[in-house]
Amino acid sequence: MLLSAAPPSGPRPAKEVRLREEAARHRDLTPPRTHPSASITWLGPAASNPALAYRVTGDRAHLDESRRWIEAAVRLPHWGRAHMPDHDLDAGWLLHHLSLAHRWVGDELPDGVRALLRYKLLLQGRRMHEFAVASEGRWWSSSYWQNHNWICYAGLATAGYVLGKEEWTERARDNLGTVLDLMPADGSHAEGVVYWRYGVPFLAIHLDLLKEAEGVDWWERGGFLTNTFRYRLHQTAPGFAFNVDHGDCHDRRSGHSAGLYYRLAAQYGIAEAQWMGDLASGELLWQEAAESGVRPGILPEAYLEYLWYDPSVPAARPTETRAYFPDLGLLAARTGWDDDATLVSFKASPGGGHTAWETSARHRAELGWETLNQGHHHPDSGSFVLISQGAFLAVDEGYSNRKRAAHHNLLLVDGQGYADEGRYHVYQDIPYERQARQRDVLVDTEAGWAHATAEIAAMYDPALGVRRLDRTLVFTPSGRLVLLDLAEAEAEREWTFLLQTDRPTEPRPDGGRLIRSGAATALVQRFAPHDASVTCEVTEVEANPTSSTPDLRLTRTLHTLRSTAPRSSDGLFLTAITPGGASAGERIACPEGHGVTFTEAGESVLLSPVARRIRTSGVSADAAALLTSADAAPYVVRCTRLELDGHVLLDVTEPYTGKVG
């Protein structure tokens, strides 16, 4: 599709309008004569979109526009200025787009311009290739789980196919095969949604080029591309405009890629991806373009939308409300997809996810290579994001350069977060054993329960002697949240529960706190410990999200609710968060285990994630969790025996998780 500029058959009038508008968007700008101080990635699509528009419409005004930006780009002695000139993202983007422009309109350019363009592509491609070879085992050349790898190799491959440089395309193809084999088969991405939309389109671009140029179809290889739309879908906020901001996220709007949605829809027949593509290229397009902090942004994708859109694929609004991605330890659950629905996203895994952590350790031991670049990963295992009523209530920090657990909805031990934090590559050079993980995951698509326990004790400084720090999160069918944090240490420690919000939480007479964001609210109830000291503080998080623009600074202000228990070798926090104006929860008296009931919703949560013994009036369960709702069968987690009101409902040898009855 890309090399031939031949889209799937069928009408695409809206996509042609998008292409023509994007082709003309820069007409009032004067191309730079010298390299700007900021990134020049945008110069590439400024040339390629009008080149494609000329191929589609025959309007020579588009050809003239493409030529303007081609001439500006090829006369710059280097592609990239502030960071790794000729060897990183600026060069990767321009190699891709200007090579396509050369393929699409090269024969229509004056001889001198065409010759200069070809010479520049050869020069920049050689520089990129030589760097990739020389730096193998270091930085993006072998950073298989990182967007720089995908973009730079896709740019090199595009130039190689257009110019006939097999040495380039072979190296890029070998790297792509390794990437596809090593990416998590569940489709998740540890860099987060923003870098998903920035980097993954280039994996699709490379696959498109490979199939068209060499007849090699790797779209099914490894499983990542097959399943990654589902990951992106479940990191979408209710109402679809915003995204969950785990990982490095410049903002909460830089998450959509209409072009990639269309390509995944066409390749795998995903009706929901087709629907999301229509939404992102239509209703949401201009607001995302205006508010997104990632450049060059969504507008330059017009060429992909035109070429990758297949009108024969039906579109369907998403309906699935629960999902779990085991590689990243990511649990996502929501009450629905409408603007007012409630969503929680909860994660815990080793740095980069299980596959990347395990494989990179093997590369380090066997090859001496450092293949897991962790610059966009956060010390956030055990943290969660809560969105409801069209607003972010429990929030993440977004982008940061000095990453800290204290910027997330986590726990501190003696005021300390994760070991070796406070830096950009937060997982670099830490012991292999320092891993977080999820266990006891329940994702119920019938009644609507979701449950998981994050094990995060290994992430703290060994000198603290933390033997256990387990966070259990339960999302009820009505969208209420129950958190149980159980901690153990070799000596007495001070345990602090953190909750991050966009505005200060408000104290209530009953001891609870109210989260407020615009018209949206949530009630926070702390059932244990009773004697915690509570403060609300301002936390400023500053970051430069791009090395290509050194002077750029982003600042996010968090309001941190801190609940600190008296020093003890055992810590326990039992917390409920109820979105909206629903009635509060009540603690259930439990001789063994811990419980919260929500009378209005008819929902009860009973937990014993370690001892697995729950005893209350009428309940005897040897289980990690018992979840009940009115007029519905109960759900259990790791249960061997369940007796309710004297009736034995389950008695098995092996622990069972799921619906009983």
Side-chain angles (χ1 to χ4, degrees), residues 35 74 80 126 239 278 315 380 495 502 514 601:
H35 200 301
V74 299
R126 176 176 57 80
D278 290 342
D380 61 354
W495 311 95
D502 283 337
L514 189 68

Side-chain angles (χ1 to χ4, degrees), residues 11 102 107 157 166 244 311-312 363 475 505 554 575 580 586 623 638 656:
H102 185 287
D107 292 342
E166 291 185 7
V244 176
S312 71
H363 291 160
F475 186 78
T505 56
L554 298 179
T575 309
E586 299 174 8
R638 290 189 61 80
Y656 168 76

Side-chain angles (χ1 to χ4, degrees), residues 355-378:
T355 299
W357 190 258
E358 296 286 338
T359 310
S360 64
R362 189 169 65 249
H363 291 160
R364 196 177 302 116
E366 297 176 359
L367 303 173
W369 288 9
E370 197 58 56
T371 56
L372 181 58
N373 182 283
Q374 300 150 337
H376 298 308
H377 305 171
H378 285 224

Side-chain angles (χ1 to χ4, degrees), residues 191-458:
E191 288 192 312
V193 166
V194 167
Y195 282 97
W196 182 94
R197 73 81 67 235
Y198 187 71
V200 176
F202 283 89
L203 290 180
I205 284 168
H206 201 163
L207 286 168
D208 188 294
L209 295 168
L210 182 65
K211 185 174 182 179
E212 187 173 11
E214 301 189 38
V216 176
D217 186 349
W218 281 354
W219 279 95
E220 303 295 333
R221 183 168 177 173
F224 173 75
L225 268 297
T226 309
N227 296 307
T228 197
F229 173 75
R230 186 167 180 259
Y231 157 77
R232 174 61 188 90
L233 177 66
H234 284 280
Q235 294 296 278
T236 303
F240 301 100
F242 298 97
N243 53 268
V244 176
D245 49 356
H246 295 307
D248 268 348
C249 290
H250 303 60
D251 53 73
R252 296 168 181 163
R253 270 204 185 269
S254 298
H256 287 304
S257 172
L260 181 56
Y261 294 153
Y262 284 140
R263 189 63 186 90
L264 297 175
Q267 183 64 38
Y268 304 114
I270 307 173
E272 294 83 359
Q274 188 84 337
W275 188 88
M276 287 279 281
D278 290 342
L279 186 69
S281 67
E283 178 184 332
L284 301 180
L285 178 69
W286 288 100
Q287 194 161 6
E288 170 141 344
E291 297 185 16
S292 169
V294 180
R295 295 293 178 258
I298 193 173
L299 293 180
E301 285 192 359
Y303 78 109
L304 294 178
E305 294 172 33
Y306 182 87
L307 292 174
W308 281 352
Y309 173 70
D310 185 346
S312 71
V313 178
R317 182 184 173 95
T319 58
E320 186 182 48
T321 59
R322 304 287 190 278
Y324 178 62
F325 302 90
D327 195 89
L328 194 56
L330 178 66
L331 174 69
R334 67 185 69 226
T335 58
W337 288 95
D338 57 281
D339 291 356
D340 290 336
T342 299
L343 161 71
V344 70
S345 184
F346 176 48
K347 67 184 290 257
S349 68
H354 289 277
T355 299
W357 190 258
E358 296 286 338
T359 310
S360 64
R362 189 169 65 249
H363 291 160
R364 196 177 302 116
E366 297 176 359
L367 303 173
W369 288 9
E370 197 58 56
T371 56
L372 181 58
N373 182 283
Q374 300 150 337
H376 298 308
H377 305 171
H378 285 224
D380 61 354
S381 284
S383 186
F384 65 96
V385 172
L386 179 66
I387 304 169
S388 183
Q389 308 143 73
F392 284 72
L393 296 175
V395 307
D396 199 271
E397 66 168 339
Y399 204 111
S400 69
N401 294 124
R402 297 180 63 83
K403 298 172 171 64
R404 299 182 182 279
H407 298 164
H408 300 277
N409 298 308
L410 279 171
L411 298 110
L412 305 181
V413 183
D414 279 355
Q416 299 181 43
Y418 287 178
D420 299 315
E421 60 175 20
R423 53 187 178 144
Y424 189 59
H425 295 278
V426 73
Y427 293 104
Q428 189 173 26
D429 298 328
I430 70 173
Y432 170 81
E433 296 77 14
R434 194 178 295 162
Q435 302 180 39
R437 63 185 69 252
Q438 295 274 30
R439 73 167 194 266
D440 299 344
V441 177
L442 167 68
V443 179
D444 162 47
T445 58
E446 181 180 339
W449 292 98
H451 171 287
T453 295
E455 299 177 356
I456 59 175

Side-chain angles (χ1 to χ4, degrees), residues 552-570:
L552 180 62
R553 290 289 183 274
L554 298 179
T555 301
R556 178 172 292 182
T557 300
L558 305 175
H559 294 273
T560 307
L561 179 67
R562 302 169 63 99
S563 300
T564 301
R567 296 183 68 83
S568 171
S569 59
D570 300 308

Side-chain angles (χ1 to χ4, degrees), residues 467-529:
R467 291 195 298 256
R468 177 184 303 281
L469 215 170
D470 290 355
R471 161 164 285 179
T472 298
L473 179 146
V474 177
F475 186 78
T476 77
S478 67
R480 289 151 165 94
L481 203 62
V482 176
L483 296 167
L484 175 63
D485 298 302
L486 295 177
E488 299 174 12
E490 296 170 358
E492 290 187 348
R493 299 294 177 194
E494 184 180 79
W495 311 95
T496 302
F497 173 101
L498 303 178
L499 183 65
Q500 314 289 348
T501 57
D502 283 337
R503 291 175 52 178
T505 56
E506 304 169 12
R508 288 168 47 102
D510 59 5
R513 307 284 298 198
L514 189 68
I515 305 172
R516 191 186 301 277
S517 181
T521 61
L523 173 63
V524 181
Q525 294 175 276
R526 187 187 72 253
F527 296 110

